Every structure is written in C-alpha cells, then in structure tokens.
Amino acid sequence: MRSKNYPVPLPLLFSLLGLAVVAAFVGSLLVGPADIDIGELLAAVLAGEEGSTTLIFYEIRLPRAILGLMIGATLGLTGAALQGFLRNPLAEPGIIGVSAAASLGAVLAFYFGLASLFALALPFGGMLGAALGVLVVQLLAGKSNSPLTFILAGVAVTSFAAALTSLALNMAENPFAALEIMFWLLGSLADRSFEHVWLSAPFILLGCLILMTVARPLDALTLGEEAAQTMGFDMGAVRRRLVFGTALSVGAATSVAGAIGFVGLIVPHLLRGLTGNRPSLLLPASMLGGAALLLTADIAVRLLSPGRELKIGVLTALIGAPFFLYLVLQQRRRLL
C-alpha cells in the first residue's frame, strides 16, 4: 500500500536503486577502449586464465569500477547529510572546503615533484590537505552551531585553497607539470589501480559509517534546532561528526580521483521527494543513487570519447550546472 508520504513504496525504491548500481557496476566492467568480446572476457575471468584479457579486467576495469562505486556513494551521502544539517538545498560536499583543500594537497605533491618519486604521494597529499582544511574550518567556526558561520568558514577555506592552487599553476616552471595538474583537477577514474582502492577504501568506508550516525539527529533537526536539542541531540557533536565523516570520505575520494562536482548536489534532490523528505531514508538512498550516477557517467565518458577520454568531472559539471541553475530559479520563485 502506498503511503501519502512516499510516491513509491520504499522496498521498491531501494530495490530499483540497488539494481541500478549493480547494472552500472557490471556495465563499467564490460565497457572500455580495448575491443574485448563480452563472452570472451567472462569465460577468461571465470576460468582463471592468465593473459591480456584478464589483465585488463583485474588491473584496469575492476579497480576503476570499485572506485566509481565508492566515490559516487560518498558524494551522494555527504551531499544529503550536508543539505540536511545546513538546511540548505544548494549545499554539497565542497561547501566546507574539503574538496578544494584535498585538491591543493595533491597539487602541491605535483608541484614539488613528490608525485614523480612515488605514485601514492598524490593521494597522501590530498588526504593531508583535506585534514588541514577541515581543521581550519573547525577553528574558524568555533563553537557556533550557526549554519551561516559554518558555510562562511567553508567558503573562506575553499577560496584560499583555490587561490593557492592557482598560484602553484602560475609558478610551475615545467609546462608539462602544469598541464598534468590541470588534467588531474578535472577529475577522472582512468588509470587507477588497486593501490588507490586499498589506500582510499578504509577512509571512505569509515567516513560513510560516521555520516550514517547523524541520520536520526537530522530527522529531529527537520523539526527545528530547539526541538532537536529538546530530544537530546547535541548539535555541536553532530556537526563534528558530520565534518569529520565528510573530511575522511570526500578527502580520500578527491585525493584519488580529483575534484568531481555536482553529484552530491543532484542526487539528494532527485530522491528527496521519494523518501518523504526524511534524512534517515535519504542518506542511504543517496548513497545508492550517487554510486549509480557516477558509474553511469564513467561509462558515458568512455563511450562518448573513446579516442581521448573525456574527464568525468567535466561531464558531471556539464550535467550539474544546468541543474544548479534550475534549483536557483526554483528558489527565487519561492521567494517571490
């Protein structure tokens, strides 16, 4: 029986989202520049044969699909959590400076030549940058639970990190290094290995687990901050968990894949009405929706430009920017 609060029965909604994730994950494993017959690929993998076919599957496509799954789920979850906490429909993971700070850390690894010394310098630099960025946001926001103070602190960190990133690009002596930095900043899942998966997975999974613990407080927050505090929720502690979880998960995701925007903005909006505007339902739904969206976008970049692969951050921006404009216009009409 359909509830008036849920246009689609919840079991059906989550089943459809789960099927979408599975279909996108399998599609990501089967699509690529190498012309491999699907039957040949499946037969080689199932038989455990060694050769170019299984090498492509295990070393290129499988880690790429796993990263797409984890990063998409992270972006969708953090977007839903931040929108619920800040009560701002335009909030997304980059609003607290994590993405910009992680990007700066990775860019500095490029700039000082650390990335050429060992491959994991790039993700390590990104995660260190994210940690420092979140620390600064916490110090700037202080003990205030005001969403405005929190947003302003995030904007300040984002602006400063973006300025330092631009400075590094401007001062780079090697034009090839500057070009490599620019390509990385566009965001991509290409050429990632299981080293990137093992490095980022613990932080992403831990961050997502922490974020799921704020589901009930966010449900209470829909009644107002005073009502949430009356129900026994410490909003200061909720904010710290939210920031820490976002820093771990989005920082790790950005450090291995670059900046991929708009996923955390789009997915919660598409699913909010289907979950009855309940954060405790929207958070897991956004995890599934984000994973399905990013995996589908990663398939699309391989199909749209097989010669010189389109960066996934560019594609999500091309999709997300018009959607963002639609949200702005919708908000303006509500205020009139």
Side-chain angles (χ1 to χ4, degrees):
M1 181 181 294
R2 291 194 179 192
S3 168
K4 63 180 180 180
N5 293 323
Y6 307 119
V8 178
L10 292 177
L12 177 60
L13 173 64
F14 281 96
S15 296
L16 291 174
L17 289 172
L19 288 173
V21 172
V22 171
F25 187 84
V26 173
S28 181
L29 294 176
L30 299 178
V31 175
D35 188 14
I36 299 175
D37 180 76
I38 294 176
E40 177 188 344
L41 174 61
L42 292 176
V45 170
L46 293 175
E49 298 177 2
E50 294 184 1
S52 60
T53 301
T54 52
L55 181 66
I56 291 171
F57 178 82
Y58 285 114
E59 299 298 327
I60 299 176
R61 295 188 183 177
L62 185 57
R64 180 170 183 163
I66 293 173
L67 283 174
L69 176 72
M70 293 194 304
I71 293 172
T74 293
L75 296 176
L77 174 62
T78 52
L82 286 168
Q83 288 175 19
F85 180 77
L86 298 174
R87 286 155 284 173
N88 185 337
L90 303 181
E92 55 96 27
I95 202 169
I96 63 171
V98 176
S99 298
S103 296
L104 174 62
V107 165
L108 291 179
F110 271 123
Y111 183 80
F112 290 108
L114 298 177
S116 60
L117 296 178
F118 63 106
L120 295 181
L122 190 61
F124 275 127
M127 285 189 285
L128 179 61
L132 292 175
V134 166
L135 178 62
V136 173
V137 168
Q138 287 282 57
L139 291 174
L140 289 174
K143 296 182 179 180
S144 172
N145 291 327
S146 168
L148 180 59
T149 304
F150 192 50
I151 291 173
L152 289 175
V155 169
V157 169
T158 297
S159 300
F160 188 63
L164 291 179
T165 299
S166 299
L167 178 64
L169 282 168
N170 187 79
M171 299 298 291
E173 296 181 1
N174 187 339
F176 296 104
L179 186 62
E180 192 174 5
I181 291 171
M182 283 299 300
F183 277 143
W184 185 86
L185 288 172
L186 294 176
S188 176
L189 297 175
D191 303 323
R192 302 304 188 264
S193 67
F194 269 110
E195 284 187 331
H196 297 91
V197 174
W198 302 136
L199 177 66
S200 61
F203 297 98
I204 290 176
L205 294 176
L206 179 58
C208 288
L209 287 174
I210 293 172
L211 288 170
M212 289 303 296
T213 66
V214 306
R216 287 187 60 214
L218 292 183
D219 274 348
L221 193 59
T222 59
L223 302 174
E225 188 170 336
E226 290 184 3
Q229 290 176 341
T230 303
M231 295 171 68
F233 294 110
D234 181 354
M235 287 297 106
V238 171
R239 189 193 75 179
R240 288 190 291 273
R241 275 185 282 162
L242 182 69
V243 172
F244 187 56
T246 301
L248 282 175
S249 56
V250 177
T254 304
S255 70
V256 296
I260 300 174
F262 291 103
V263 174
L265 175 69
I266 295 172
V267 173
H269 277 282
L270 294 176
L271 297 173
R272 182 170 286 110
L274 299 176
T275 56
N277 296 304
R278 285 186 58 188
S280 58
L281 296 174
L282 181 60
L283 264 59
S286 296
M287 284 185 69
L288 294 172
L293 178 61
L294 193 62
L295 284 168
T296 303
D298 192 42
I299 293 171
V301 297
R302 282 176 270 181
L303 294 176
L304 292 173
S305 54
R308 185 169 185 173
E309 190 174 297
L310 180 68
K311 300 297 182 182
I312 195 169
V314 175
L315 181 61
T316 57
L318 288 173
I319 297 171
F323 187 82
F324 186 84
L325 179 61
Y326 163 74
L327 292 178
V328 171
L329 294 174
Q330 191 178 50
Q331 287 292 107
R332 191 177 72 173
R333 282 197 296 268
R334 288 176 181 174
L335 295 174
L336 293 178

